[in-house]
Every structure is written in structure tokens, then in C-alpha cells.
Amino acid sequence: MDDLERGILIMFDEWGAVDDELKKQAKSYCSNIKEKPSVCRLCIEKLCCSNLVQVQFWCLQTLHEVIRTRYSTISPEEKHMIRGTVFSIVCLEDKNPVRVLEGPPFIKNKLAQVFIALIYFEYPLIWSSVFVDFLPHLRKGNVVIDMFCRVLNALDDELISLDYPRTPEELTVAGRVKDAMREQCVSQIVRAWYDIISMYRNSNQDLCTIVLDSMRRYISWIDIGLIFNDTFLPLLFDLILVGAPSDQLRGAAVRCLLAIVSKRMEPQSKLSLLQSLQITRVFRLVTEDGNAELVPDIAALLSGYAVEALDCFKRISSEDAKQISMELLNEVLPSVFHVMKNFEVDATLNIVQFLSGYVSTLKSLTPLSEKHILHLGQILEVILVLIRYDPVYRTNLDVMDKIGIEEEDRMTEFRKDLFVLLRTVGRVAPNVTQLFIRNSLGSAISRPSDSNVEEVEGSLSLLYALGESLSEEAIRTGSGLLNELLLMLLSTKFPCHSNRLVALVYLETVTRYVKFIQDNAQCIPIVLAPFLDERGIHHPNNSVSRRASYLFMRVVKLLKVKLVPFIAVILQSLPDTVARFTTMNYTTEEISGSEDGSHIFEAIGLLIGMEDVPPEKQSDYLSSLLSPLCQQVEALLRSAKLLSYEESKARIAVIQQIIMAINSLSKGFSERLVTASRPAIGNMFKQTLDVLLHVLVIFPRVEPLQNKVTSFIHRMVDTLGASVLPYLPKALEQLLAETEPKQMSGFLLLLNQLICKFNILVRDILEELFPSVADRIFSVIPREGLPSGLDAVTEEIRELQELQRTLYTFLHVIATHDLSTVFIAPKCKAYLDPVMQLLFYSSCNHKDVLLRKACVQIFIRLVKDWCAQPYEEKVPGFRSFMIETFATNCCLYSVLDRSFDFRDANTLVLFGEIVVAQKVMYDKFGDDFLVHFISKGFSVAHCPPDLAEQYRQNLQGSDIKALKSFYQTLVENLRLQQNGSLVFR
């Protein structure tokens, strides 16, 4: 063993017997050998004398790399030597002392790759006889035949197949190789395939399988007549039908038939091929016992055949030909349906896509024939079978463990295409679809409860999915069989309703079709029942109960006034649910998403909050709900000081639940009702607000609790309107006292809501709060901005960025709602300079263009508010700041910077605001602004006098669009002139 062989063995060591350093040295040594001019000769010598598979593989790998990357540098003599040696190895010629073909498959595959690398460069111009010379060697038996198939497979993988991305050069070479093979040797290769299969079909099925799988790859581009003839076709059918000794060989023959069927050709020629194929011969294979292993391939063949027949129908214009295409489809579809209903096959989704195309085609055929209606019914049967869960997962899906979650997710994704198909069938044949669903539902109902869970769930899912394609009018009127179907749905109590999946899909389906009740008020009691009894809100499964609460709220929203006569009955069925929501046990249960159970309170609020409810009853209903909840909060607060930390956590969780409940309850009451028509209702909510604000005193700095109280104040602002104003100072003071600086975003959002709702009515409140707000925020946000870039953005920085964005919105809302006097109020003046500096810096530099725009808009509004008259000095120094600092830096230097991209839509919006700012400053400051802007700003930017004069004229004009257009042109000219960016002054 020489050094190279030792190096290769060390490099390929997989047992951990060699340390990393030695392996690294071996790799470097072998890499250096690869770069030597004599490496090809060395590799050939090693291939002919070394029995080590590692050495053989390295040599073949190196030859492949050198031929692919340095073919032009190899001398003619070496090329001849490589060609001769490789050919002698693959053909088992006597002069080859080492039998590489007796090695493992990966060696033979790499050898085939080397062979194809030579063909890439040399066939047919240099090595024109390669395939013709190879064929006689096939008589040597299975070793050479196997190698010949590997070569053909490698040729397909490396060059011909379009399943892989190809460069233009590779496509050109592939075309050249295929043209040469068609002219020279394809017919001989096909004959060889036939002879090998005929000879070895009973003695070596594995070899025949390899040959057929190789042949399948070539059918798509060789002359179809070489395979589709009276010689080869009977052989394939004989293997399939008479029965080859192995299912693998039969499957390979089926895959060849599929390649024949799928070959691209003119539709008339394809139709003739499909007719001649007599595909009906294989139909029995999917119904006979003993063919289970063959079914996936048969399924692919049948679906492929059906796809091609449908394609012929679509592409051919002749009515006779269309009729033939449809007859072929009618023949094959029953077998396709049988396979889909009775076997699990990988091709299911492809078949579903075909069926969608088939059903869409039937839209143009009116009226539908009995055969087509039969097929549509069979398609619906297929859908129902495929969407059913496997009973083996029943318990997992009911308790929703890890396996159950995974299975539900998988089925949800799998069902998507099937439900699209269902809706397509529903549009083409609505009565057929509705009748099928009615019958499947009736059949499911009649079966024993322990066996029909999946059947019921599947039938209900069909009805639910169908509703997505029906118009609101169709649902409301119960068109067709829908009236009967929905009455059947509403009046049925399934024995398996305790199952989570059945309960959920039933409630979802009832909710989807609840518009039907609008014209059928007599059905309201039977609609309410499943939501209010053990099938819904009182279901033993918590996820069903919570989902039922949410869906019931949606039903109430839709039916609303029609439910007024039933309010008492509804409320009488809910006290245990309402009470359970605020218990310790409930708060410790896992809550998924937004379905936390509070929707039942929203539903109750929507019911009792209507003006159709008599005032006395409304007050009684609301009091019976609010009073116990408030009393419960007060009791929890009284005992809070005596509790341990863990006990306090439990009490806090309950209080959170109560606040959520009251919040949801209040959503049903309008501002007009609680403030104008029935103020007594408003007083109840005000008293509730008093109670809940005390929570912040007893449990200070508890962020989740604080968020809930904040949310409730938001709700009361919308519900109580201006009547809430007297309560706000105390509420906001308490909230602010409990809010950490970094958590100020939520507080600012509340202030924004108040400003937008009440405008100047909250001026006094704002003047009182602004100093504390500004002090807290400026303690954590630097005035020159926050770090940017991926490396600099931590979770803490992200929180501060969010706070900063909310602050800009807050300042913008103040300025644009006639509250700019807050900035200059006696208590707030100390923060005017920090605010102005932050806004100024951001208007020039902030990475977020929309935030820059907001800052510019704030300055525009401040100029209008504080400088209403020429030379007015309402805010000392503001006028000179705008003229000398803001105008030049923001309106000129910042837009001259190359980062200001006029191709960006948001940047153009910002630019428009900057132009408006100049116009407003000119209107308010006159020539003082203009002279300084031109003499200082334009002179630093080296603006030519003629352009400065044109700017003056445009600014003094009244056309803001013309000013914007000219100023953009001016900026772009100055950029070209200065060939760089200015430093802000």
C-alpha cells in the first residue's frame, strides 16, 4: 500500500480510529494529488490494480471532477486512455484484472457518472460508437446488463431529465445526445430491453425490474412506436396480467404503461393510443385479492390514464372525438373511485386534482347524463371516505394529546383539496350533493354510537364545508334540499355527541347555517338548545365548552332582536357557567388562544344590552350579573393582605377573569343607551369602574392585572362617553403610578384613545399628566434615537422601539387635536425642549420614513398653532428654531442625502410633507424664512442663483404640486452637482 492509498483510507475512516489532525493531513495530501497533471493516469492505474473500494471510489470521483471541470486540459492520449479503460471496466473486458463491477452499488453508480461525463463531451462527435459498441457486451449477462442500466439512468439523471434544473449549455448537449441516439442506436437499445426481459423474466426478476425502470425514463422522448407495438405491449401486459413471479416486476411494467400513457403528443394521436391500449384489462387487478402491493402503481396508471383522457376531451374540437374521450373516462372512473375508497395510495392528492378538473368540465355539459350524475355521487363517496379520521386515533383526538394534535393538524391540511372538490361538485350538482349529505347523515345517525363517531364527524364536516360555497340568500331561504337538511341537523341529537370532534363540528355547522333561522323563527328553541345544553356550553370537554361560548356569541350577534323573548330562558341556563368562569379551578386550566370562555359574557351583554329589553328587566339582568362579580372582587381585595404570595397569585387570576367578564359584558351596551336613554345602566358601570380601580391600590405593579384594568378603561371610554371624564383623573393617576417606564406603551395608547374621543375636553387631564409621562419616557429613551441594525436589536431594544413609536403617535395625536397648548402649559414647559429635540432629530434621521413624516406633520401643526400671526412669539425661540434649524436641516440637508430615496412611495409621501412645511413656514414667517433658507441653506448646497430664484417664485405661488415637482428636480440637480452628501448642521 503506497502513501496515496494510505491517505485515502485515513480520509475515509468512519470508525473514529484516526484523529482529526491526521485526517486533515490526509485530506490535504489527497487534494494536492488531484491538482497534479498526471492525476488521470494515476487514477486509471489504481482502478486497474487496487481492490480497495475506498481507493476505487476516490479515483472515480477524481476522474469525474477532472473530466467535468478540466476536460480541455487533458491531453488526447490521456483522453484515449481514460475512454478505453472506463469502457473496458463497464463491459467486463478481459484486460481488466480488477472486477470493479463486483463492488458495491455506490462504486458502480460513480463509474456510470464518469462514463456519462465522457459522453457529455465526446458523444457523438468524438466517441460516436459508444452505445453501439456497448450493446454486444450485454450477452455477458446480468453484471453488464445492470451496468448498462446504471449508465442509462445516469445519463437521464445527469443530462436529460427535466426534473432537475439545467443550464442552457446542458440543454443544448442533451438535445444533441438525444438526436444522435434516436438516429443511431435507440431502436437497438429497445430491442435489447425486449430480449433481456423475455430471457430473464422467469430467472432474474430483479434484473428485469431494473431494465424496465430504466426503460421507463426513456419512453418520454424516444419514438413511441418502438414500445407501443404488437411486440412490446403484449409483453408488458403479460407481465402485469398473467402474473410475473414478483410484484416488483409487475409494478415496473405498470410504470412503463404509465410512461406510455403520459407521453406528450397531439390530442388526436393520444386519443388513438388510449383507445388501443385497452386499459380495461387491468381493472380487475384492483378488486382481486393478492394485488395489494401492486395497487399504488395501478392507481397511478388509472389516474394518469384518466388525466390524459380528460385532457383529450378539453383539447379536441371534434364532437365525435369528445364523445370517445368521455367514454374512455366513463370506463376508467369506477376503478379510480374504487382505489380511492379502499386503498391508501400516495397519488391521492393528484387524483383529487384530476377529479376537480373533471367536475369543472361537467359545468359545460347540460343537462348532465345519468352516468355523470352517478360519477358525481361516487366522487362524493370518495370524499366522505377520505375525510374520515382513523378510529385508532379516537381517544387521542378526544383528549388532544400530542398524537391527537398532530393527527388533527395533518387531517386539516389533507382535507383542504377535498373540500374544494366538494364545493365544486356542489356548484355543478347542488341537489345531488345535498341529497348525498342528507343520506350520509341519516345513515350515520342510524348506526350504534360506539362505531359511528368518525362517520358522523365526516358527514357533518361535508355539510359545514358545503356552506362555504352557498350564498347567504340560499342559506337564508333553505333552497333545494337545504331546508330539509338543516331541519334534520337541528333536530338531531347524536349518540356520540360527547366526542370532542363531533361536538365541535356540529356547533360550527349550526353556526354556519344560522342565517336560515332568520326566516324560520320557529326554529330558535332548537337552535339554542345545542349551545346551552351538554352538547355546547355545558359539554364536559372544556375546549368544546369554550368554543361553544364563542360560537353562541356569534349566533346572538346575528339573531339579536329575535332572541329577546328567550332572554330569561337563556340566562336561567347559564348561572353555573357564569359562576364557573370566576373560580380558582377555571383560572388554572390551560386557555387556548382567544377562546378563554369570556365570550359567554359578551353574548349575555349583547342580549340584555338591546333597547328592545324593557328598562326594568334590563337593570335587573345587569345588576344580577355585575353585583355578584363586584362583590367577589371586593371580598378578594379585603382578604388580600392576609394571604401568602401563592394565594395572592390565585386571587389575582380570579380578579383578572372577573375584569375580563365585565369587559365582555359591557360590549353589548351602546354609549347612547347608557348615557342618554337609560343613565341608570351607565351608573352601574361607573360603580363597577370604582371597584376595579381599587384593584390597582391593593395589587400594585402586577402587569397582567394592570393590563386588564387598562383594557376595561378603554371599554368604559367607548361605553360611557363623556360621562366617564370625572373618573379619568383618578384612574389615570393610579395606572401611571403602577406603570414602569418601559411599559408605558399601553398607557399612551389609552391617552391616545381619550384624545381622539374627547379632544380639548381632556386638556386639563393631559396638562396634569404630561410631565410625569415625559419624565418616565425620557428616562429610558435617548433623545438621539435608539441603536439600529440586526446585531444591536435585543428584546429590550425592541420594547423601547415600540415605546418610541407609541410616543411619536402620542405627540402627533396631541398636536393634531387642538391640544398643542399642552406642550407650553406652565407644568409642561420644562419638557418642551427635550420634545422638540427628539422630534427634530427624528424628522431628519429616523430610519422609519413614516415616523419622520409624522414628526414633520407635528412641526407643521405647531407652526400653525403657535405662529398664527406674522412675527407672533407665542413660544419664545420657536420661530427662530424653525427658520434657522428645522428648515435647513430637515427640509434641505436631509433630502439631499443619498439615503433619501425618491423611488420609494413612503419617502415621496414624506417629501410631500416637507414641501408643505416650507409653504407653511413661508406663509407664517414670510421673507425671514425665505431669505435665510436661500442665503444659508442653498449657499451651503451650492445652489445656482437661477435655481434659487425659480424656487422663490414657486414658493410664492399657490400651486403646491408645482412646488413639489420643482423642489424634487432641484434636489436631484444639487445631488449631481455636489457628488456627495452634506453633513447636517
Side-chain angles (χ1 to χ4, degrees):
M1 189 185 299
D2 60 21
D3 288 343
L4 176 59
E5 291 174 329
R6 277 192 290 272
I8 293 170
L9 291 177
I10 291 171
M11 186 172 61
F12 285 134
D13 172 68
E14 296 178 354
W15 304 101
V18 179
D19 65 64
D20 291 341
E21 185 58 34
L22 184 58
K23 187 176 286 192
K24 185 178 179 181
Q25 291 176 11
K27 186 176 181 179
S28 176
Y29 176 78
C30 294
S31 296
N32 291 335
I33 296 291
K34 280 187 181 181
E35 300 303 317
K36 292 185 177 181
S38 60
V39 67
C40 290
R41 187 174 300 278
L42 177 62
C43 288
I44 293 298
E45 290 173 358
K46 292 293 181 186
L47 276 176
C48 294
C49 66
S50 178
N51 287 307
L52 297 170
V53 292
Q54 296 94 329
V55 174
Q56 292 174 3
F57 181 81
W58 185 87
C59 291
L60 290 169
Q61 185 183 54
T62 301
L63 279 175
H64 185 251
E65 289 177 12
V66 171
I67 294 170
R68 291 291 292 171
T69 60
R70 309 199 315 248
Y71 178 79
S72 60
T73 66
I74 305 173
S75 67
E77 295 78 12
E78 281 190 313
K79 289 176 183 176
H80 180 76
M81 175 195 62
I82 296 170
R83 188 186 311 131
T85 304
V86 170
F87 188 77
S88 71
I89 294 174
V90 299
C91 293
L92 273 183
E93 291 185 337
D94 293 339
K95 61 183 179 181
N96 175 24
V98 175
R99 296 295 178 91
V100 175
L101 298 195
E102 295 175 357
F106 69 88
I107 292 291
K108 290 181 277 190
N109 289 337
K110 182 57 70 174
L111 176 61
Q113 281 187 311
V114 175
F115 197 86
I116 298 309
L118 291 169
I119 288 175
Y120 184 96
F121 291 104
E122 298 190 348
Y123 180 77
L125 300 179
I126 298 172
W127 196 6
S128 59
S129 63
V130 54
F131 293 107
V132 175
D133 292 344
F134 202 141
L135 289 170
H137 293 278
L138 298 180
R139 67 173 65 96
K140 294 178 180 176
N142 60 342
V143 175
V144 178
I145 294 171
D146 174 79
M147 193 63 220
F148 182 64
C149 291
R150 291 179 190 275
V151 167
L152 292 179
N153 292 348
L155 178 61
D156 185 60
D157 289 336
E158 301 288 318
L159 187 58
I160 294 175
S161 174
L162 296 179
D163 291 340
Y164 310 98
R166 304 294 185 194
T167 65
E169 179 190 348
E170 288 173 334
L171 292 173
T172 300
V173 174
R176 185 186 74 213
V177 168
K178 288 192 291 185
D179 288 343
M181 290 181 70
R182 286 190 191 103
E183 181 179 341
Q184 184 189 52
C185 60
V186 162
S187 60
Q188 298 176 54
I189 292 174
V190 173
R191 184 66 198 181
W193 286 333
Y194 179 84
D195 291 341
I196 293 167
I197 296 166
S198 299
M199 180 182 300
Y200 289 96
R201 59 180 293 184
N202 294 316
S203 59
N204 194 334
Q205 294 81 43
D206 291 342
L207 183 65
C208 292
T209 301
I210 291 169
V211 171
L212 284 173
D213 281 336
S214 183
M215 181 180 90
R216 171 186 54 79
R217 296 167 173 251
Y218 284 76
I219 290 174
S220 64
W221 60 268
I222 65 176
D223 179 4
I224 192 62
L226 295 171
I227 305 293
F228 193 80
N229 53 46
D230 294 338
T231 302
F232 221 127
L233 207 57
L235 174 61
L236 293 176
F237 273 105
D238 193 45
L239 291 172
I240 297 168
L241 300 173
V242 176
S246 75
D247 285 332
Q248 287 74 22
L249 179 53
R250 297 176 74 193
V254 173
R255 291 191 290 273
C256 286
L257 280 185
L258 176 59
I260 294 170
V261 166
S262 305
K263 185 174 174 66
R264 293 177 61 183
M265 57 179 67
E266 289 300 313
Q268 189 59 58
S269 300
K270 174 59 69 70
L271 186 59
S272 299
L273 183 148
L274 296 178
Q275 279 184 286
S276 304
L277 194 61
Q278 297 177 338
I279 196 70
T280 55
R281 289 179 283 178
V282 304
F283 290 171
R284 63 178 175 81
L285 296 178
V286 297
T287 57
E288 291 179 345
D289 293 335
N291 293 318
E293 293 294 325
L294 198 60
V295 166
D297 289 316
I298 293 292
L301 172 61
L302 296 178
S303 61
Y305 182 94
V307 166
E308 296 298 326
L310 180 61
D311 186 61
C312 288
F313 178 86
K314 291 178 179 178
R315 294 170 61 196
I316 289 176
S317 56
S318 162
E319 288 303 319
D320 290 342
K322 279 184 173 293
Q323 181 64 30
I324 294 171
S325 301
M326 191 54 68
E327 288 173 0
L328 296 178
L329 269 172
N330 290 339
E331 284 181 349
V332 75
L333 282 175
S335 294
V336 172
F337 298 144
H338 179 82
V339 168
M340 293 184 73
K341 285 192 290 185
N342 294 282
F343 298 94
E344 291 185 14
V345 292
D346 293 337
T348 297
L349 287 180
N350 290 332
I351 299 176
V352 170
Q353 289 164 7
F354 153 72
L355 291 177
S356 294
Y358 171 71
V359 175
S360 297
T361 301
L362 295 185
K363 291 179 185 177
S364 61
L365 304 179
T366 51
L368 295 175
S369 69
E370 288 186 14
K371 180 78 75 173
H372 291 144
I373 292 174
L374 175 63
H375 287 166
L376 290 174
Q378 290 177 311
I379 289 172
L380 292 170
E381 289 178 14
V382 166
I383 294 171
L384 180 57
V385 168
L386 292 180
I387 67 168
R388 284 180 188 159
Y389 282 95
D390 189 330
V392 74
Y393 296 111
R394 186 180 297 176
T395 301
N396 303 103
L397 289 162
D398 205 37
V399 301
M400 280 304 278
D401 56 16
K402 184 175 182 294
I403 295 173
I405 292 171
E406 290 175 355
E407 177 62 12
E408 188 167 36
D409 290 344
R410 184 198 67 80
M411 186 61 92
T412 299
E413 187 63 30
F414 176 72
R415 285 177 164 185
K416 287 179 181 177
D417 287 326
L418 291 164
F419 286 151
V420 170
L421 176 58
L422 168 73
R423 291 190 288 270
T424 306
V425 176
R427 283 187 285 267
V428 173
N431 287 340
V432 172
T433 307
Q434 292 171 22
L435 180 62
F436 174 82
I437 295 175
R438 188 195 68 181
N439 292 341
S440 67
L441 203 52
S443 173
I445 293 168
S446 66
R447 298 182 189 278
S449 60
D450 60 345
S451 65
N452 71 341
V453 170
E454 290 72 29
E455 190 176 353
V456 169
E457 195 277 337
S459 298
L460 288 171
S461 295
L462 287 185
L463 180 55
Y464 175 81
L466 179 67
E468 193 170 316
S469 62
L470 298 176
S471 66
E472 287 191 12
E473 181 66 16
I475 294 175
R476 192 175 60 79
T477 59
S479 61
L481 293 173
L482 203 56
N483 182 73
E484 179 185 349
L485 188 53
L486 294 180
L487 289 174
M488 177 183 178
L489 171 74
L490 294 171
S491 60
T492 300
K493 229 176 181 180
F494 299 103
C496 57
H497 229 121
S498 59
N499 179 271
R500 185 186 70 88
L501 283 180
V502 171
L504 285 174
V505 72
Y506 180 83
L507 293 170
E508 296 281 359
T509 306
V510 171
T511 305
R512 169 153 281 180
Y513 290 97
V514 76
K515 289 183 177 67
F516 174 72
I517 310 303
Q518 289 180 317
D519 285 357
N520 295 272
Q522 73 276 9
C523 295
I524 288 179
I526 58 174
V527 167
L528 293 176
F531 286 99
L532 300 176
D533 63 22
E534 71 282 354
R535 289 172 288 174
I537 292 169
H538 292 93
H539 197 282
N541 186 298
N542 287 328
S543 65
V544 174
S545 175
R546 288 169 181 165
R547 184 66 178 170
S549 296
Y550 167 73
L551 294 174
F552 181 62
M553 180 268 294
R554 285 176 50 189
V555 169
V556 169
K557 272 187 177 179
L558 189 69
L559 298 180
K560 230 173 175 185
V561 176
K562 293 181 181 294
L563 296 178
V564 171
F566 303 92
I567 291 177
V569 173
I570 293 171
L571 294 180
Q572 286 168 12
S573 67
L574 295 176
D576 58 330
T577 304
V578 169
R580 179 172 170 268
F581 183 77
T582 58
T583 62
M584 300 291 181
N585 290 338
Y586 189 89
T587 58
T588 59
E589 293 170 1
E590 185 179 349
I591 295 174
S592 59
S594 62
E595 290 177 15
D596 49 34
S598 64
H599 294 292
I600 195 62
F601 290 91
E602 185 173 350
I604 294 171
L606 290 167
L607 284 170
I608 67 175
M610 290 184 281
E611 294 202 20
D612 301 81
V613 180
E616 299 79 12
K617 284 192 174 182
Q618 191 173 57
S619 294
D620 289 343
Y621 290 148
L622 184 59
S623 178
S624 68
L625 289 159
L626 285 182
S627 296
L629 291 173
C630 290
Q631 290 167 9
Q632 193 175 354
V633 171
E634 290 172 332
L636 289 167
L637 295 180
R638 282 194 299 271
S639 62
K641 294 180 180 179
L642 306 174
L643 301 175
S644 66
Y645 174 73
E646 287 300 322
E647 289 173 324
S648 292
K649 282 176 61 178
R651 298 298 189 277
I652 289 170
V654 173
I655 293 172
Q656 286 180 229
Q657 294 290 109
I658 293 173
I659 298 172
M660 288 165 58
I662 298 173
N663 201 350
S664 297
L665 187 67
S666 67
K667 291 178 183 179
F669 293 83
S670 68
E671 180 181 342
R672 194 182 69 81
L673 182 139
V674 304
T675 59
S677 61
R678 300 178 186 179
I681 299 295
N683 289 333
M684 289 188 199
F685 282 116
K686 291 174 189 175
Q687 292 165 10
T688 303
L689 179 58
D690 263 339
V691 172
L692 297 187
L693 288 176
H694 194 56
V695 168
L696 298 178
V697 178
I698 304 300
F699 292 108
R701 298 190 183 277
V702 179
E703 187 178 355
L705 202 53
Q706 184 178 324
N707 291 339
K708 292 292 185 296
V709 174
T710 303
S711 176
F712 183 66
I713 296 173
H714 276 290
R715 170 52 46 197
M716 289 299 98
V717 169
D718 284 337
T719 303
L720 297 173
S723 67
V724 80
L725 287 172
Y727 293 83
L728 289 178
K730 176 185 175 184
L732 294 172
E733 181 184 346
Q734 286 183 326
L735 274 179
L736 185 59
E738 307 305 327
T739 304
E740 296 288 343
K742 291 179 183 178
Q743 299 165 355
M744 285 290 293
S745 294
F747 187 77
L748 292 182
L749 289 175
L750 177 58
L751 292 181
N752 289 344
Q753 181 199 18
L754 295 175
I755 295 168
C756 294
K757 177 87 173 175
F758 301 121
N759 295 305
I760 60 173
L761 293 177
V762 294
R763 177 184 287 126
D764 292 344
I765 294 174
L766 269 181
E767 288 181 4
E768 195 67 34
L769 290 173
F770 189 81
S772 296
V773 170
D775 187 63
R776 285 166 180 259
I777 293 177
F778 284 125
S779 71
V780 292
I781 293 182
R783 299 176 195 181
E784 65 278 6
L786 294 163
S788 59
L790 293 177
D791 296 336
V793 179
T794 61
E795 185 61 35
E796 182 180 11
I797 294 297
R798 274 191 286 271
E799 289 177 3
L800 292 177
Q801 287 174 339
E802 179 60 31
L803 175 58
Q804 188 185 59
R805 280 190 290 269
T806 312
L807 172 63
Y808 287 124
T809 304
F810 174 58
L811 298 174
H812 187 272
V813 169
I814 290 176
T816 55
H817 285 77
D818 300 319
L819 289 167
S820 61
T821 55
V822 170
F823 295 133
I824 54 177
K827 291 183 178 180
C828 308
K829 273 188 176 180
Y831 297 93
L832 179 61
D833 184 60
V835 168
M836 291 297 106
Q837 291 301 324
L838 176 67
L839 292 173
F840 167 65
Y841 182 86
S842 299
S843 66
C844 299
N845 299 282
H846 206 287
K847 300 296 183 185
D848 188 329
V849 174
L850 294 179
L851 280 181
R852 287 175 68 175
K853 181 198 75 171
C855 293
V856 173
Q857 288 174 331
I858 292 172
F859 279 115
I860 292 171
R861 188 58 186 256
L862 294 181
V863 170
K864 292 179 179 179
D865 288 354
W866 295 349
C867 308
Q869 303 297 326
Y871 305 106
E872 183 182 20
E873 192 76 349
K874 184 180 289 188
V875 182
F878 178 70
R879 190 171 181 276
S880 58
F881 166 79
M882 293 299 297
I883 293 173
E884 297 171 10
T885 305
F886 177 82
T888 52
N889 284 283
C890 179
C891 299
L892 181 59
Y893 299 155
S894 74
V895 298
L896 283 174
D897 193 276
R898 299 287 177 181
S899 63
F900 198 92
D901 186 3
F902 284 106
R903 296 168 298 179
D904 176 65
N906 288 332
T907 303
L908 281 176
V909 174
L910 167 62
F911 183 72
E913 294 297 332
I914 288 173
V915 171
V916 169
Q918 296 172 57
K919 185 67 175 170
V920 169
M921 284 189 286
Y922 177 70
D923 291 342
K924 298 299 181 184
F925 306 145
D927 287 341
D928 286 355
F929 159 72
L930 189 56
V931 170
H932 189 278
F933 194 61
I934 291 176
S935 63
K936 298 294 184 182
F938 280 12
S939 62
V940 172
H942 308 295
C943 177
D946 59 325
L947 289 179
E949 180 58 31
Q950 290 181 50
Y951 170 77
R952 179 195 301 271
Q953 294 171 7
N954 276 279
L955 185 66
Q956 291 172 335
S958 59
D959 190 343
I960 193 71
K961 289 185 178 179
L963 174 60
K964 180 180 177 182
S965 176
F966 170 78
Y967 195 58
Q968 181 176 341
T969 304
L970 172 63
V971 169
E972 290 171 341
N973 286 335
L974 291 177
R975 282 182 178 181
L976 292 173
Q977 178 179 300
Q978 71 189 24
N979 192 28
S981 60
L982 292 170
V983 176
F984 292 167
R985 287 164 169 74

